[in-house]
Amino acid sequence: MMPGNPALAMFAKFQGQLNPAALHALELEFGFSKQPLILQYLTYLKNLVTLHWGLSYTYYPTPVTTVIAHSLPWTIGLVGAATVIAVIIGTLLGIYIAWRRNGFLDSTLPVTTMFLQAMPYFWTGTMLLFLFAFLYHVFPLGHAYSSTVTPGWNGPFIGSVIGHAILPAITVFLGSVSGWIIGMRNNMINTLGEDYVVFAEAKGVSNWRLMTSYAARNAILPQVTSFALAMGLIVSGSILTEEVFSYPGIGFQLTNGVLSQDLPLIQSAFLIIAVAVLVVNLLVDILYSRLDPRVRTGGGTH
């Protein structure tokens, strides 16, 4: 409903060299028509189901599905791996410091990680780039891999991808690990005060079994729910991190789409993000019922 369209903007770049018929053909290719709005919406829904999501204005004439297909694996590989590592390490550290509460790690680790998490992603990424890429040349400055290697399942390419992903992965890790540590610590402390844990301790259950089988197994359930939300949002990428490191993921493409008013790319990216969140939450609901039998029985006794 906004005035103008990308076809007119592209037409202006040619300074009037395109004839009106070419402009009309370009408008139709972009999906701009004079049909009633309800018909346009029905056409949009049809194209949505059939995966005809239009052409990207930024990468014209590349289809949006191609842009997303090329960007999504980079985001899942980078942000997904960093998030999973942060969840595993944060959960294990949370279990340990709760078991050894009031110790040295319990007094220092949550505060330190909260301080790191409070730093903006773009500041942390910029500092890492300045120190380890620009100043000491330990890691590359940006992008997903070096332009001197040939993409494929070969050693040089895989090594280049890993090298380029280390700094952005550290940025994502530092920005999220604190929440997993503190969340698991608080859950563990609450669980350790439950009657069944005290009773098991009085019966002489070993400390290792008490910590893992009795306390941690029940304390980890809220972590699973949080992990579901985190996994669903992985698809959106870490926009600031990908922007700082020029990493070609969904977040980077979404930023370019907003700056270029690339409406099909923006719509498709948000659709992928929404579907990913719904699917992951469904899978975690199924997993939750396996971890906690009370969910399957409705909390009652049978």
Side-chain angles (χ1 to χ4, degrees):
M1 297 178 68
M2 295 174 60
N5 59 59
L8 290 175
M10 187 172 291
F11 182 75
K13 295 179 182 179
F14 293 94
Q15 298 179 351
Q17 296 179 15
L18 292 176
N19 57 47
L23 174 61
H24 180 65
L26 199 59
E27 289 178 340
L28 292 178
E29 193 170 14
F30 281 154
F32 291 91
S33 66
K34 305 300 182 182
Q35 292 179 324
L37 199 58
I38 184 63
L39 294 180
Q40 294 186 46
Y41 182 62
L42 293 175
T43 302
Y44 162 75
L45 292 179
K46 175 186 174 183
N47 292 336
L48 196 66
V49 174
T50 57
L51 299 183
H52 291 88
W53 295 353
L55 302 177
S56 170
Y57 305 159
T58 308
Y59 303 100
Y60 178 82
T62 306
V64 168
T65 51
T66 302
V67 176
I68 291 179
H70 289 167
S71 303
L72 195 57
W74 294 109
T75 290
I76 294 176
L78 171 66
V79 185
T83 301
V84 170
I85 293 172
V87 171
I88 294 174
I89 294 179
T91 300
L92 293 176
L93 288 175
I95 293 173
Y96 180 78
I97 64 176
W99 187 257
R100 302 286 186 181
R101 56 187 178 276
N102 299 323
F104 175 75
L105 285 179
D106 188 29
S107 303
T108 58
L109 193 60
V111 176
T112 303
T113 54
M114 285 180 65
F115 175 77
L116 294 173
Q117 185 171 350
M119 296 180 182
Y121 275 75
F122 66 87
W123 190 90
T124 303
T126 303
M127 290 298 100
L128 290 175
L129 271 178
F130 176 74
L131 290 175
F132 298 105
F134 178 78
L135 202 59
Y136 296 110
H137 307 288
V138 179
F139 298 103
L141 281 168
H143 304 293
Y145 57 90
S146 175
S147 59
T148 59
V149 299
T150 303
W153 293 104
N154 55 77
F157 175 73
I158 295 174
S160 179
V161 169
I162 294 175
H164 282 73
I166 289 178
L167 287 185
I170 291 175
T171 303
V172 176
F173 175 83
L174 293 178
S176 60
V177 70
S178 175
W180 301 110
I181 293 175
I182 296 174
M184 191 62 195
R185 174 191 178 276
N186 294 339
N187 295 336
M188 274 288 292
I189 289 176
N190 291 333
T191 305
L192 287 172
E194 294 289 342
D195 293 339
Y196 67 89
V197 177
V198 177
F199 181 72
E201 186 177 12
K203 287 182 62 177
V205 175
S206 65
N207 288 340
W208 174 257
R209 188 181 176 193
L210 192 67
M211 181 177 68
T212 57
S213 299
Y214 285 80
R217 181 178 178 181
N218 290 281
I220 205 172
L221 294 177
Q223 292 282 92
V224 174
T225 303
S226 300
F227 181 64
L229 298 175
M231 290 301 292
L233 294 175
I234 280 174
V235 177
S236 66
S238 182
I239 295 177
L240 293 178
T241 301
E242 292 183 4
E243 187 68 23
V244 168
F245 291 94
S246 299
Y247 204 82
I250 289 293
F252 181 74
Q253 299 297 354
L254 189 56
T255 304
N256 288 342
V258 171
L259 294 176
S260 305
Q261 296 184 354
D262 193 342
L263 305 182
L265 181 57
I266 296 172
Q267 286 181 324
S268 301
F270 281 130
L271 175 65
I272 291 293
I273 294 168
V275 171
V277 172
L278 293 174
V279 170
V280 171
N281 274 275
L282 174 62
L283 295 177
V284 171
D285 282 342
I286 297 173
L287 177 62
Y288 211 102
S289 67
R290 308 293 293 182
L291 294 175
D292 188 356
R294 293 172 297 179
V295 176
R296 297 196 302 269
T297 61
T301 56
H302 297 276

